[in-house]
């Protein structure tokens, strides 16, 4: 598929889309976005993603210039361009052009379609490695465009053979650069709730766990708990559920994807198949 972008009532190839250099997203890195995918030709968890975009915009004092219906129509037009092929959808809300380079003026909304790029199968079968970084995002409850730490550490992540960067701060495990992070201890799911972005996939996994009778806790996670965890995994729109078997040089559990993780992966796959 060829990536396309919707803005100001028009759809153009993404490579031809433009953004003023005086936009706050360029000058100050001020903007929010949301990222979803289509499953069986439908925007997956659309309502949840739209509500999160609204929440992110509100936290940064921005107003989305289009109503939900118009944005869905734009997505339908992009999907038509893809001829039914499933894709990723990125909703990008920039701060807009500001005369003094600081005040939010009229935010600009872009809707982009992108090819789906899944991790290799072996990552899901054998598990993945993550590396730690001391970092906490500014306004973590909002999905902002500030990914400075994540971008800066990509070469180090690749050298380490890791799939993600795990943010830890003051002895607490928070989230990954583009994912939420879970531990399993005594058969219970444990994941952070404060100072993290509450991912749509994260929330769905908790809902599936509840229906399946899997007990979970949303609480602060101590970094020392990594050593005693039986299992760990990541959740994200573009990753689904990924078993984590190593954090830096520390093996998680027996170094293999665990029973609880596997069960949730199956439940999640079944949910997507029925969507």
């Amino acid at each position: 598929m060829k990536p396309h972008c919707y803005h100001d009532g028009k759809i153009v190839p993404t490579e031809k889309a433009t953004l003023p250099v005086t936009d706050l997203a360029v000058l100050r890195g001020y903007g929010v976005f949301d990222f979803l995918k289509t499953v069986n030709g439908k925007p997956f968890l659309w309502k949840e993603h739209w509500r999160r975009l609204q929440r992110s915009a509100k936290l940064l004092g921005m107003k989305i210039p289009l109503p939900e219906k118009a944005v869905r129509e734009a997505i339908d037009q992009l999907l038509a361009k893809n001829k039914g092929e499933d894709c990723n959808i990125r909703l990008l809300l920039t701060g807009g052009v500001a005369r003094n380079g600081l005040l939010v003026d009229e935010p600009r909304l872009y809707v982009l379609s992108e090819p789906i790029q899944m991790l290799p199968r072996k990552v899901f079968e054998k598990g993945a490695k993550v590396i730690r970084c001391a970092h906490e995002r500014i306004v973590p409850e909002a999905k902002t465009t500030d990914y400075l730490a994540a971008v800066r550490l990509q070469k180090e992540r690749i050298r380490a053979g890791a799939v993600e960067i795990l943010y830890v701060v003051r002895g607490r495990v928070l989230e990954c650069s583009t994912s939420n992070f879970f531990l399993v201890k005594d058969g219970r799911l444990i994941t952070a709730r404060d100072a993290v972005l509450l991912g749509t996939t994260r929330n769905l996994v908790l809902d599936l766990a509840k229906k399946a009778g899997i007990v979970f806790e949303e609480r602060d996670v101590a970094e020392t708990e990594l050593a005693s965890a039986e299992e760990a995994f990541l959740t994200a729109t573009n990753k689904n559920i990924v078993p984590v078997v190593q954090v830096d040089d520390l093996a998680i559990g027996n170094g293999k994807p665990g029973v609880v993780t596997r069960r949730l992966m199956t439940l999640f796959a079944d949910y997507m198949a029925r969507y």
Side-chain angles (χ1 to χ4, degrees):
M1 61 164 286
K2 185 174 183 179
H4 283 80
C5 174
Y6 173 93
H7 173 65
D8 201 19
K10 299 178 182 178
I11 290 182
V12 298
T14 301
E15 62 189 21
K16 295 185 178 180
T18 59
L19 177 67
V21 295
T22 50
D23 192 293
L24 281 172
V26 179
L27 291 180
R28 309 293 185 186
Y30 202 83
V32 298
F33 76 102
D34 220 292
F35 184 82
L36 60 146
K37 63 186 173 186
T38 64
V39 173
N40 301 324
K42 303 173 184 177
F44 188 59
L45 303 178
W46 166 252
K47 287 291 184 182
E48 291 82 352
H49 283 282
W50 178 252
R51 284 196 295 266
R52 189 172 65 180
L53 180 66
Q54 290 178 309
R55 183 168 62 251
S56 296
K58 183 177 181 180
L59 286 168
L60 266 67
M62 302 165 68
K63 183 177 179 181
I64 303 174
L66 291 176
E68 178 184 0
K69 182 179 178 181
V71 177
R72 274 302 308 268
E73 290 174 352
I75 290 175
D76 289 341
Q77 292 178 46
L78 289 170
L79 294 180
K81 282 280 187 182
N82 297 336
K83 298 179 180 178
E85 183 180 352
D86 279 326
C87 64
N88 292 325
I89 299 291
R90 187 182 300 269
L91 308 173
L92 174 62
L93 184 66
T94 74
V97 174
R99 294 179 183 177
N100 71 346
L102 284 171
L103 290 174
V104 174
D105 187 24
E106 295 184 9
R108 302 162 63 92
L109 180 67
Y110 295 80
V111 185
L112 296 85
S113 65
E114 306 169 1
I116 291 178
Q117 297 180 339
M118 290 298 294
L119 292 169
R121 180 181 296 179
K122 67 178 182 180
V123 169
F124 298 93
E125 295 175 346
K126 301 192 178 205
K129 175 183 178 179
V130 301
I131 59 172
R132 277 174 277 194
C133 169
H135 180 67
E136 180 177 357
R137 293 187 305 110
I138 298 174
V139 196
E141 299 83 5
K143 197 169 180 69
T144 71
T145 56
D146 179 6
Y147 275 65
L148 189 152
V151 173
R152 181 174 63 85
L153 291 170
Q154 285 307 299
K155 289 183 180 180
E156 182 177 338
R157 176 189 67 77
I158 293 170
R159 280 197 300 268
V163 301
E164 258 287 22
I165 302 160
L166 180 62
Y167 293 156
V168 296
V169 64
R170 296 182 294 279
R172 292 165 57 207
V173 175
L174 299 179
E175 58 189 344
C176 291
S177 63
T178 62
S179 317
N180 287 110
F181 186 76
F182 286 76
L183 293 181
V184 178
K185 295 180 65 176
D186 299 322
R188 290 173 172 254
L189 295 183
I190 304 170
T191 190
R193 181 175 181 82
D194 299 326
V196 301
L197 181 73
L198 301 181
T200 56
T201 304
R202 168 201 184 273
N203 295 342
L204 174 58
V205 166
L206 289 178
D207 186 53
L208 293 173
K210 183 177 181 179
K211 291 176 180 177
I214 300 172
V215 179
F216 62 84
E217 301 174 9
E218 296 179 88
R219 61 166 174 83
D220 287 349
V221 182
E223 191 173 0
T224 54
E225 292 184 85
L226 292 171
S228 58
E230 299 153 8
E231 306 175 34
F233 60 87
L234 308 174
T235 60
T237 291
N238 61 345
K239 300 180 186 69
N240 297 336
I241 299 175
V242 176
V244 173
V245 297
Q246 187 175 346
V247 179
D248 293 320
D249 295 327
L250 174 68
I252 300 296
N254 62 5
K256 298 178 181 179
V259 174
V260 176
T261 302
R262 289 289 189 196
R263 185 181 180 193
L264 287 168
M265 291 173 72
T266 299
L267 291 172
F268 191 87
D270 290 345
Y271 184 91
M272 284 205 306
R274 297 192 309 268
Y275 195 78

